[in-house]
Amino acid sequence: TFLELCIMTDKATLKPYIETLVEGKDLTSEETEDAFGKILAGADEVQVGSLLMLLRAKGETYQEIAGMVVAMNKACKSVNIPGTKLLDIVGTGGDGADTINISTASTVLAAACGCTVAKAGNRSVSSACGSADVLESLGVVANLSPSQVEECVEKCGIAFMFAPVNHPSMRFVAPVRKRLGVRSCFNILGPMTNAAGAQHAVIGVFDGDLAPLMAKALKEVGRVDHAVVIHGVGLDEISPLGPATILEIKNVAPPGEPKVYEEKTFSFDPLDVGIPRCVVEDLKGGGPEQNAEEFRKVLLGGDHTDAKRDSIVLNAGVGCYVYGMTDSIADGVSLARKTLETGKATELLQTWVEVSNDIAKK
């Protein structure tokens, strides 16, 4: 009835939160969680746009970001892989550099090194070729259901989780984001809302100011065990372009106890592990077909190298460190380089293509 519709509409309203923000006040984590729960259930688009822009203008707090992450996790169609350590290497995007798919290729190399990978990603939003685009060009089935992802991880140690499958509620937000046309908090939520709850994460950010905000929010949510937030030179990841600032959070509490995080910030220079400088043109990619060709090339066995291979080795090396395969990033980079040279990454990519297609055909 009309009355029921009015009551429902009133329950879904964001007005109280908009009023708080208009007054220049912050929302609590719980208020933000409630507001974003309503947004992800299809709240009024004008109110959604207003709330997002008021948060952006004020500057989001880590408590607000944490509330958003919890709301997205609750609305998510999750992937359940209990008792398994999982790694994701992912970036916020937005660097405008149109490089090859460094994070995605790095996850294949990290998996070849022995990490179990649950990679979250999407089609291109701000770049020429997103992770889903390049994987499809390579022959990987990118849009597996949660149960199919679980099977894929079990069979080959790596799987891709396609954002529209795992976060279907984002369909309510997509038109608002598109029509606003400016950055909002949703740009940074993707890397923090891994549908499999990956406890080990390498997160790249293009804007260095976001690193402490995201690290504090990750600690507040408390799902990760060991993560690094990386701000590189001109890219949303570590690369041979120059030194990277790394913000590391690590849970030091015994298993089963409430998480206690140690946090440290440090600089890491690829020169220190024998990787020479490059310029951004050395890392350029293109559309899905070109990036798929580059993807295959960077994973080939052999001791030859270039800036693209060095970038993959760096990111996979950080992944191996965060996963616990090595005690330092330098050792992680060394493990990644040795593994790359054996050709194991190429073999794993081929296995992933075959396994994902077999699963999809069932």
Side-chain angles (χ1 to χ4, degrees), residues 200-357:
H200 302 264
V202 178
I203 299 174
V205 292
F206 173 59
D207 179 352
D209 293 340
L210 293 173
L213 188 71
M214 291 176 78
K216 282 178 180 166
L218 286 168
K219 290 199 294 184
E220 183 85 358
V221 175
R223 283 212 305 181
V224 296
D225 277 322
H226 194 176
V228 289
V229 185
I230 298 177
H231 174 53
V233 177
L235 297 181
D236 67 340
E237 52 222 333
I238 195 167
S239 79
L241 289 171
T245 303
I246 300 180
L247 202 164
E248 178 178 10
I249 59 169
K250 187 175 186 181
N251 173 35
V252 292
E257 297 284 315
K259 288 186 169 65
V260 178
Y261 289 104
E262 276 183 358
E263 182 179 319
K264 63 179 177 182
T265 303
F266 57 97
S267 180
F268 181 84
D269 195 327
L271 291 175
D272 295 338
V273 288
I275 289 177
R277 290 278 186 268
C278 73
V279 292
V280 74
E281 286 72 23
D282 297 330
L283 303 174
K284 285 280 184 202
E289 283 180 21
Q290 184 185 336
N291 274 23
E293 188 53 42
E294 296 284 0
F295 201 107
R296 286 189 198 96
K297 272 175 31 188
V298 294
L299 295 181
L300 288 172
D303 61 4
H304 62 289
T305 198
D306 58 23
K308 288 170 180 167
R309 280 169 77 85
D310 287 345
S311 295
I312 307 304
V313 163
L314 277 170
N315 283 273
V318 176
C320 287
Y321 164 64
V322 164
Y323 192 79
M325 301 283 291
T326 61
D327 292 330
S328 70
I329 291 175
D331 287 348
V333 170
S334 176
L335 172 63
R337 176 81 69 191
K338 285 177 188 148
T339 305
L340 180 65
E341 290 177 356
T342 64
K344 279 184 189 169
T346 296
E347 290 168 23
L348 179 63
L349 177 61
Q350 191 51 45
T351 303
W352 188 11
V353 170
E354 290 164 9
V355 167
S356 66
N357 278 276

Side-chain angles (χ1 to χ4, degrees), residues 38 47 50 62 71 96 122 150 160 202 211 254 273 305 338 343:
K38 287 171 177 170
Q47 291 189 7
S50 302
Y62 77 85
N122 207 342
E150 290 157 20
F160 182 75
V202 178
V273 288
T305 198
K338 285 177 188 148

Side-chain angles (χ1 to χ4, degrees), residues 177-199:
R177 290 177 72 191
K178 196 165 189 179
R179 277 150 61 192
L180 282 172
V182 294
R183 187 179 62 75
S184 72
C185 48
F186 278 104
N187 292 58
I188 65 169
L189 292 178
M192 302 171 75
T193 51
N194 181 289
Q199 315 90 329

